[in-house]
Amino acid sequence: MNQHVKLLLKVMLPVAIGIGVVAWLMMRDFDIDTWRSINWSTGTIGCVVLALLFTLGRETGLAWRFRALSDRRLNWKQSFKVTMLCEFVSAITPSTAGGSAVSMVFMKREGIEAGRGTALTMTTIFLDELFFVVLCPIIFLLEPSSRLFGFGDGGETAFSLGFKGAFWIVWGIVCIWTIILFTGIFIKPEFVGGLLVKLFRLKWLHRWSSAVEKIAEDMAVTGKDLKHRPAGWWAEAVGATFLSWISRFLVVNAIFLGFAPWSDQLLVFCRQFVVWTLLTVSPTPGGSGVSEWLFTTYYGDMLGSAGIALIIAIIWRLISYYLYLGIGAVMVPAWLKGLKIKKHHDNE
């Protein structure tokens, strides 16, 4: 099958899932009077533009991180290129896979050798996981659990208890994975790698054994690369990571400011942490379908109207997800063409 056809099919799958879930939510929650009640003022449009600026901040943070981790071997143009290609891959694969895992492929095209690219990829994965581990206690200092999971009245229902339980299970998995990465990269890469390989040779885990063997190899390579990095290098990488994720959360704050200015902005921000934590285990490409349902359900109590929650969810997904599908659909064919030309020249 032609590569461009395969690409089109990969793009269409999450789009179909997203449209299907949105159609179901609209049949359930949409109210034409709610749509008519929205004041499309200059301020509202300005807040949408602000959301786009925060999206740019998200990509700037990721590009800055690639540039910093590569010791400036990637220029800004190359860093943004790798970033956008990774975002596209994240948009068409389940969240558990993500674009970071294949960033080494894109960096190799930009002149970063395989070993160095492997180290950079593992480092970005570790930094993203570390962000969620570090930010969690800060979020719960800013907002109590009753406000994050109480769904408006501060009380606990069977749904809110299940929602809270799902969050803590996922966050616990993130913590365990972060500890494994830290130990495997910085302390005992050979020991942790060997342990993982043996564990995943068990019959019920064997299907993932080849992927885990690759992770074990990558840990050893990354550990050697990062062993003597100065504090300033790490500070820049961590700063870029926080810039990207905080900007990602603030996209929703900007949309709420435009469509529901009465909302508690701190609570909006803190709930984004919960949303993105749960989306790390989404089984659908780019969280398509799951994101729309999760957002509408979780933020509905803050808005007093499921219809407004749905409208905000659609705008959020257009900015934070479908935008990347569109950009990637334009960039990837050109990237594949360049790769094909390079292989042809290499074979001559």
Side-chain angles (χ1 to χ4, degrees):
M1 188 183 292
N2 185 282
Q3 285 183 316
H4 291 81
V5 175
K6 288 182 179 179
L7 179 64
L8 181 62
L9 291 175
K10 285 183 176 292
V11 171
M12 292 308 297
L13 176 61
V15 169
I17 294 172
I19 290 175
V21 172
V22 168
W24 170 67
L25 290 170
M26 289 189 76
M27 287 189 290
R28 189 188 71 174
D29 300 325
F30 186 72
D31 180 3
I32 190 63
D33 292 329
T34 300
W35 175 260
R36 289 171 178 165
S37 69
I38 296 174
N39 179 21
W40 292 93
S41 64
T42 304
T44 302
I45 302 300
C47 288
V48 173
V49 173
L50 180 61
L52 289 169
L53 289 175
F54 281 130
T55 301
L56 179 60
R58 161 184 171 174
E59 303 316 315
T60 300
L62 292 175
W64 177 24
R65 185 170 70 179
F66 277 123
R67 183 162 158 74
L69 294 179
S70 69
D71 298 316
R72 305 294 190 276
R73 285 181 58 186
L74 292 175
N75 59 36
W76 279 108
K77 182 181 178 181
Q78 291 172 312
S79 298
F80 270 105
K81 186 177 179 181
V82 171
T83 295
M84 296 311 300
L85 289 169
C86 288
E87 291 281 28
F88 176 71
V89 173
S90 294
I92 62 172
T93 56
S95 301
T96 48
S100 295
V102 296
S103 60
M104 67 185 77
V105 177
F106 303 130
M107 285 187 281
K108 185 177 180 181
R109 177 73 177 82
E110 301 302 322
I112 303 296
E113 60 274 9
R116 186 82 180 98
T118 295
L120 293 185
T121 297
M122 289 297 292
T123 307
T124 58
I125 293 172
F126 169 71
L127 289 171
D128 284 335
E129 303 301 316
L130 184 65
F131 170 83
F132 281 92
V133 173
V134 171
L135 195 64
C136 187
I138 298 173
I139 292 295
F140 281 87
L141 283 175
L142 294 173
E143 288 288 357
S145 177
S146 60
R147 294 252 294 163
L148 285 172
F149 301 109
F151 293 88
D153 58 2
E156 290 186 330
T157 63
F159 180 80
S160 66
L161 285 171
F163 197 86
K164 182 196 291 187
F167 167 79
W168 285 117
I169 289 170
V170 173
W171 187 74
I173 292 171
V174 170
C175 288
I176 292 169
W177 178 230
T178 306
I179 291 170
I180 291 173
L181 284 174
F182 179 80
T183 307
I185 292 172
F186 299 102
I187 302 177
K188 291 187 175 182
E190 290 82 7
F191 172 76
V192 173
L195 196 64
L196 285 173
V197 169
K198 287 180 181 178
L199 177 64
F200 278 81
R201 281 177 181 163
L202 295 174
K203 187 176 181 180
W204 55 285
L205 293 174
H206 186 70
R207 59 181 295 189
W208 296 290
S209 61
S210 59
V212 170
E213 286 174 9
K214 180 68 169 61
I215 289 173
E217 292 173 7
D218 292 348
M219 281 183 179
V221 172
T222 306
K224 293 176 183 177
D225 185 85
L226 301 181
K227 190 169 289 185
H228 304 294
R229 291 292 179 176
W233 186 87
W234 280 109
E236 188 174 3
V238 170
T241 301
F242 271 70
L243 170 64
S244 177
W245 278 105
I246 297 298
S247 296
R248 191 180 308 220
F249 293 176
L250 289 174
V251 168
V252 175
N253 283 89
I255 299 172
F256 264 78
L257 193 61
F259 291 87
W262 63 85
S263 302
D264 184 332
Q265 288 290 318
L266 180 60
L267 183 58
V268 170
F269 178 87
C270 291
R271 285 192 174 190
Q272 270 293 282
F273 176 79
V274 176
V275 167
W276 282 102
T277 300
L278 291 172
L279 287 178
T280 59
V281 294
S282 172
T284 60
S288 190
V290 176
S291 299
E292 291 83 355
W293 171 82
L294 179 60
F295 189 98
T296 306
T297 304
Y298 191 33
Y299 279 104
D301 69 296
M302 293 184 64
L303 298 163
S305 167
I308 293 179
L310 177 57
I311 291 168
I312 292 177
I314 292 171
I315 294 171
W316 169 58
R317 287 295 280 171
L318 285 172
I319 293 173
S320 65
Y321 178 67
Y322 291 101
L323 177 66
Y324 295 106
L325 281 180
I327 293 173
V330 173
M331 287 185 64
V332 171
W335 185 82
L336 289 173
K337 184 178 179 181
L339 191 63
K340 190 175 181 179
I341 292 172
K342 184 177 183 298
K343 284 183 179 179
H344 177 73
H345 286 317
D346 290 343
N347 292 330
E348 285 183 346

